[in-house]
Amino acid sequence: MRTAIVVGAGIGGLAAAGALARTGWQVTVLERGDRVPVDRAALILWPNGVRALRSLGLGDGLRAIATPLRDRGVRRPDGQWLVQPRQPGPDTQPPIVVHREDLHDALIAGLGEGVEIRTGVAIDTVRLHAGDRPAVGVGRQRFEADLIVAADGIDSVLRRHLAPEASVVSSGCAAWRAVIPWYRAPRLPDDLPPNGETLGAGYRFVAVSLGERGSAGGSSRGGIYWVATAAGAPRPESPAVQLQLLRRWLADWHAPIGELLAATEPEDLIQQEVRELRPLPRQYGFGSGPGGVVLLGDAAHAMPHHLGQGACLAFEDAATLRSVMAEAVPGRTLTTAIEQYSRSRRPRTATIVRQTRRMSAVIQARGRLALRARDAALGTITPRLLGSVATTAGEWRPPV
């Protein structure tokens, strides 16, 4: 029996665990927390992420919880169009939005019989040796397997051992996320939809509908999901004070941003320091005896959320891992599969990270002269950049 250990039970780790189990691997998931982590916010998945999940056999579950997103364009704070909404082509697959709790439930349901989850296991060491299978440990306890998947997030212990050249750095901004449940969400006129994106001087606000108000189908966790990003460090104040600050910072922005912030309560708010890896690890696969270790998700390519590709790339990682590991057995075929995974994923993620950093520069411009130059160029930079991202994301297809 081929054995695998997945370190980390986030959405990337769960997707990888289920993918390996469905191809005959015996999988153990090790999670540092006392329970499997579940985020209270939502998640936008672009077509590449949707294709990856479908290739993992999760299409039916995803369809039941997802809401398609129509293009609502990009505005300036005064409501002026920066990028006009575009009508999708006949073959265009729109992005979707899902509540993270619903997605978590779908990933858990897709694990199957061959996965064991152990919580409260905070891995602190990794062993790679030419003559031995890879192993991870906590204290005196050791876990050994043919394949180890490091899906333990941006602060990955395994990556620090295996790829010390990759450092975690601040992206220069903070983000706030919230889901306003339908029973508390403001009732907006038909000509004032919540869906859309607004870019200002050092600020960004994105809002989307999560399901339909009053709908009996799909997620029971529907509402309006929004994300605000501001240049600078995270705020130390309480959620109530942070919410007051957001309302003040965005007070003169176009409707319905003020209405959405007014309907948000402090307990809805999730603040996050935005961080990234600079530089990326030089490789995503590391051999050890007849097997080895691979990096996946934020452990491999953590980036700012500006283009919404973090989770999508994690699901691409899992789909690629499933493909290359389907027939691999300990020995040369497994070590070759690990090398193939690294060769396939490293260039792809590097391209998306470069595009994300370009968007960071657009959002976080500071200083009077820089802001004037940024505002003058926004109308040409942003459509071109977003179009490039859409093309890059749309080109990916699950490996066979």
Side-chain angles (χ1 to χ4, degrees):
M1 173 66 73
R2 300 174 296 173
T3 59
I5 290 173
V6 177
V7 181
I11 57 175
L14 292 177
L20 291 171
R22 285 189 290 276
T23 55
W25 289 75
Q26 183 69 41
V27 183
T28 300
V29 179
L30 304 179
E31 166 58 36
R32 69 166 65 95
D34 292 334
R35 61 185 64 185
V36 175
V38 183
D39 196 307
R40 294 183 287 110
L43 182 66
I44 295 174
L45 292 176
W46 293 86
N48 53 316
V50 175
R51 290 193 196 101
L53 286 173
R54 287 176 177 165
S55 76
L56 295 174
L58 299 173
D60 290 342
L62 189 63
R63 192 176 303 110
I65 60 176
T67 303
L69 295 183
R70 291 177 293 173
D71 187 354
R72 292 292 186 179
V74 184
R75 295 177 184 260
R76 299 180 190 271
D78 61 4
Q80 179 182 349
W81 288 111
L82 178 61
V83 182
Q84 289 276 357
R86 292 166 293 183
Q87 292 297 323
D91 299 323
T92 301
Q93 180 182 353
I96 63 172
V97 59
V98 296
H99 200 290
R100 282 178 175 263
E101 293 183 27
D102 289 328
L103 181 58
H104 169 269
D105 291 347
L107 291 171
I108 289 290
L111 289 179
E113 299 291 332
V115 179
E116 175 189 6
I117 299 179
R118 300 187 188 182
T119 57
V121 183
I123 295 300
D124 55 20
T125 60
V126 57
R127 184 199 71 194
L128 270 67
H129 190 276
D132 299 319
R133 295 198 303 171
V136 292
V138 51
R140 296 183 177 180
Q141 190 175 18
R142 290 289 178 271
F143 301 90
E144 185 177 292
D146 301 312
L147 174 68
I148 294 177
V149 180
D152 48 343
I154 188 171
D155 295 310
S156 170
V157 172
L158 276 70
R159 187 197 61 247
R160 288 203 298 268
H161 285 279
L162 301 173
E165 71 277 6
S167 299
V168 178
V169 300
S170 171
S171 299
C173 59
W176 292 262
R177 298 175 293 149
V179 173
I180 309 170
W182 280 128
Y183 73 85
R184 194 163 21 88
R187 290 191 172 274
L188 304 173
D190 292 340
D191 61 348
L192 199 64
N195 291 16
E197 176 177 347
T198 305
L199 288 176
Y203 296 92
R204 182 192 193 199
F205 192 92
V206 178
V208 297
S209 295
L210 183 59
E212 298 291 336
R213 189 191 298 268
S215 173
S219 169
S220 61
R221 304 182 177 103
I224 299 176
Y225 170 55
W226 62 258
V227 183
T229 307
R235 304 295 304 191
E237 298 90 351
S238 68
V241 174
Q242 292 175 30
L243 188 55
Q244 291 175 3
L245 289 171
L246 287 170
R247 290 167 178 165
R248 187 172 70 195
W249 293 338
L250 307 181
D252 59 349
W253 285 35
H254 67 81
I257 293 173
E259 290 86 342
L260 296 179
L261 291 174
T264 304
E265 296 185 354
E267 56 266 28
D268 301 328
L269 203 63
I270 303 171
Q271 182 185 212
Q272 177 185 11
E273 180 184 11
V274 182
R275 299 180 296 159
E276 61 189 280
L277 290 180
R278 281 183 180 258
L280 292 178
R282 287 189 289 267
Q283 63 193 74
Y284 290 162
F286 307 84
S288 178
V293 180
V294 297
L295 304 179
L296 182 143
D298 280 352
H301 42 69
M303 68 190 78
H305 61 285
H306 306 316
L307 297 180
Q309 283 295 315
C312 294
L313 290 181
F315 294 141
E316 285 187 22
D317 292 344
T320 303
L321 191 67
R322 176 187 181 277
S323 176
V324 300
M325 295 296 170
E327 304 296 331
V329 295
R332 185 56 189 162
T333 60
L334 178 51
T335 56
T336 299
I338 291 171
E339 294 168 359
Q340 182 181 351
Y341 171 83
S342 184
R343 287 196 305 270
S344 172
R345 297 307 300 155
R346 180 59 172 74
R348 165 72 175 169
T349 58
T351 297
I352 299 295
V353 166
R354 283 196 299 271
Q355 294 175 330
T356 300
R357 289 173 181 168
R358 291 178 61 199
M359 192 65 181
S360 292
V362 170
I363 294 172
Q364 298 179 49
R366 296 185 182 185
R368 183 177 300 176
L369 294 178
L371 286 174
R372 285 179 179 175
R374 199 278 312 261
D375 289 345
L378 272 177
T380 56
I381 292 175
T382 304
R384 189 168 65 247
L385 177 57
L386 294 178
S388 175
V389 171
T391 299
T392 303
E395 289 173 346
W396 185 87
R397 293 294 186 276
V400 295

